[in-house]
C-alpha cells in the first residue's frame, strides 16, 4: 500500500488522511449510549429471570449471601 508520501518535510500541508474525521466525538457518544443501554437491559432481563426462578420455588430460599 502506497500513501504517496516520500518525506515528512511538508507535514503541515498534510490534511486529513481518513474519511469522516472530526466525528470521533459522535461515534464515542453513540458507543457510550449503546453500552449504557445494553448494560441496563441486561440487568433488567437478569432480574426478571431471577424473580421468575424465585416465584417457582416451593418455599422462599435465602439469598446466597445470607
Amino acid at each position: 500500500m502506497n500513501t504517496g508520501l516520500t518525506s515528512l518535510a511538508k507535514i503541515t500541508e498534510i490534511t486529513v488522511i481518513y474519511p469522516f474525521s472530526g466525528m470521533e466525538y459522535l461515534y464515542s457518544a453513540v458507543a457510550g449510549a449503546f453500552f449504557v443501554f445494553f448494560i441496563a437491559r441486561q440487568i433488567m432481563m437478569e432480574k426478571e429471570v431471577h424473580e421468575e426462578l424465585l416465584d417457582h420455588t416451593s418455599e422462599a430460599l435465602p439469598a446466597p449471601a445470607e
Side-chain angles (χ1 to χ4, degrees), residues 7-62:
S7 83
L8 297 177
K10 297 181 180 181
I11 193 76
T12 57
E13 294 178 9
I14 298 173
T15 60
V16 279
I17 57 173
Y18 60 93
F20 309 113
S21 65
M23 296 183 65
E24 291 86 0
Y25 294 112
L26 175 65
Y27 294 145
S28 297
V30 168
F34 175 77
F35 177 76
V36 169
F37 173 77
F38 178 79
I39 295 299
R41 185 69 182 137
Q42 281 295 118
I43 290 170
M44 288 173 26
M45 289 189 322
E46 288 180 11
K47 186 176 179 180
E48 290 172 3
V49 169
H50 183 68
E51 291 294 326
E52 184 178 332
L53 288 174
L54 287 177
D55 290 342
H56 291 314
T57 57
S58 60
E59 60 184 38
L61 298 173

Side-chain angles (χ1 to χ4, degrees), residues 1-7 14:
M1 186 163 131
N2 185 7
T3 62
L5 294 175
T6 55
S7 83
I14 298 173

